[in-house]
Amino acid sequence: MPRAGKRRNHPTKNTVTDLSETKGPHAGDVAGRRNFFAEAMALVCGGLAILTPVAAGVWMFLDPLRRRGEAATFLPVTELKAIPDDGVPRQFAVVTDRIDAWTGFAAEPIGAVYLRREKGSDEVEALSATCPHAGCFVEIDPEEKCFRCPCHSSRFTVDGQMVAPSPSPRAMDGLACRVDKNGGVAVKWQNFYTGIAEKVAKP
Ligand code: FES
């Protein structure tokens, strides 16, 4: 009569040995190194995940400041043929792409200018439409053939000179203007401090 014996499980050829369970003098070292590398990788990945958006945010925050420093840039406004050579000022919007911290605004109006040119001339004279008194928008008075500010009634001649008496402490602010060979008209756009006699550009 055969005796019932204890059956032993022996690893076969196909058995996969879990090294983490390896017993031996160096088993603790192997597991420790593996944990160290896993934690290091997690730290690097976590750091990158945090630093990338932070770096992007810092760049976006600094970018408008950088642009403000370059405020005096020529911006295309219109074409020469859009300005009749009759000496009468015409108003044009100043439009540019703008980035405000996190948001970009395409073709955003940032101000207005008056452009005019004399008979037969290709030279364009540009005046900021912002009143030097307190920053309202100056309008054209077609009857009196002058500029008039609707806020406190400052008046200016068509070439921007002050008409006394005037609440405005100075004449309208002239802007550099250039016409390219294709007839494109660009204005060096700048904002100026209001309420003072000197024409001082904002940074
Ligand atoms: S803001 Fe133009 S007159 Fe005061």
Side-chain angles (χ1 to χ4, degrees):
M1 190 174 159
R3 284 171 51 192
K6 283 185 183 173
R7 290 176 65 189
R8 284 187 184 168
N9 290 329
H10 295 285
T12 65
K13 274 185 190 170
N14 295 330
T15 302
V16 176
T17 306
D18 185 349
L19 289 177
S20 66
E21 294 174 0
T22 303
K23 301 286 189 291
H26 301 298
D29 291 349
V30 171
R33 274 201 296 272
R34 186 181 294 169
N35 285 342
F36 171 77
F37 284 121
E39 284 169 10
M41 282 304 294
L43 268 176
V44 169
C45 292
L48 282 175
I50 292 169
L51 283 178
T52 302
V54 168
V58 169
W59 173 253
M60 291 293 285
F61 176 74
L62 290 176
D63 194 45
L65 299 180
R66 191 169 53 85
R67 282 167 180 247
R68 234 174 275 163
E70 299 168 357
T73 53
F74 277 88
L75 298 174
V77 173
T78 186
E79 294 182 347
L80 190 62
K81 63 187 178 196
I83 311 166
D85 61 344
D86 56 5
V88 177
R90 266 61 174 202
Q91 191 187 100
F92 295 88
V94 178
V95 173
T96 190
D97 296 341
R98 188 170 64 84
I99 296 175
D100 187 357
W102 301 98
T103 314
F105 301 90
E108 178 94 346
I110 57 169
V113 291
Y114 285 103
L115 303 179
R116 75 178 193 111
R117 61 181 176 126
E118 299 291 353
K119 189 84 183 157
S121 173
D122 284 352
E123 281 190 20
V124 178
E125 181 182 281
L127 294 170
S128 171
T130 304
C131 181
H133 180 223
C136 292
F137 255 29
V138 172
E139 297 172 348
I140 293 177
D141 184 334
E143 287 181 8
E144 292 198 31
K145 294 186 173 46
C146 68
F147 291 108
R148 182 185 295 278
C149 181
C151 291
H152 312 100
S153 300
S154 286
R155 288 190 305 145
F156 309 89
T157 61
V158 289
D159 60 354
Q161 297 308 305
M162 220 164 43
V163 177
S166 171
S168 176
R170 66 173 187 266
M172 289 174 72
D173 297 316
L175 299 167
C177 184
R178 67 185 180 199
V179 182
D180 65 29
K181 61 181 187 318
N182 297 317
V185 178
V187 164
K188 190 175 180 181
W189 176 250
Q190 285 178 288
N191 284 303
F192 301 92
Y193 289 103
T194 58
I196 56 176
E198 297 84 4
K199 178 185 171 188
V200 180
K202 290 183 178 178

